[in-house]
Amino acid sequence: MILTLTLVALIGAQAEVAPSVDPESEADIVVLARRLDSWRGRARERNGALECQSIQTSGDRDVDQIGCNAMIICMTQLRPTLALPGSERNRNRRRALQ
């Protein structure tokens, strides 16, 4: 798995040189990633709109909001292929599995 990811990264690096990141920004990214690692959330569709709720907070409201925003963006992009909780499509799938 790691080898595959490394190869993909190397191939991408050959095609395009990534912009350099200053060390301070890089440290901020690492801290943010660690905080997001402790965050847990749930997204659902309600009345046609996606909403997110923090289940386990990171301890920082801004970090929690970043996690929710990322989840909503991903869910929006994947919406056509997902059976979202509460949707008619999901209810039909659950019935088919019973």
Side-chain angles (χ1 to χ4, degrees):
M1 179 71 163
I2 294 173
L3 179 61
T4 304
L5 293 174
T6 304
L7 290 174
V8 169
L10 289 174
I11 292 169
Q14 290 176 349
E16 183 179 317
V17 176
S20 62
V21 177
D22 65 278
E24 187 175 318
S25 295
E26 192 170 299
D28 290 343
I29 292 168
V30 170
V31 169
L32 179 61
R34 285 187 181 141
R35 288 184 181 172
L36 277 172
D37 193 40
S38 67
W39 176 83
R40 298 290 179 268
R42 171 176 50 204
R44 65 180 179 176
E45 184 180 53
R46 178 178 273 178
N47 299 326
L50 291 173
E51 58 183 37
C52 176
Q53 176 184 18
S54 290
I55 302 301
Q56 179 179 335
T57 183
S58 67
D60 184 329
R61 262 193 156 142
D62 292 334
V63 173
D64 294 352
Q65 190 61 52
I66 289 169
C68 270
N69 289 346
M71 187 176 277
I72 295 296
I73 290 168
C74 288
M75 296 286 289
T76 300
Q77 292 174 355
L78 295 173
R79 188 181 235 165
T81 60
L82 294 175
L84 298 173
S87 69
E88 185 62 35
R89 181 178 176 190
N90 192 39
R91 280 190 287 272
N92 291 339
R93 282 188 178 179
R94 280 185 300 201
R95 286 182 192 138
L97 293 174
Q98 294 176 351

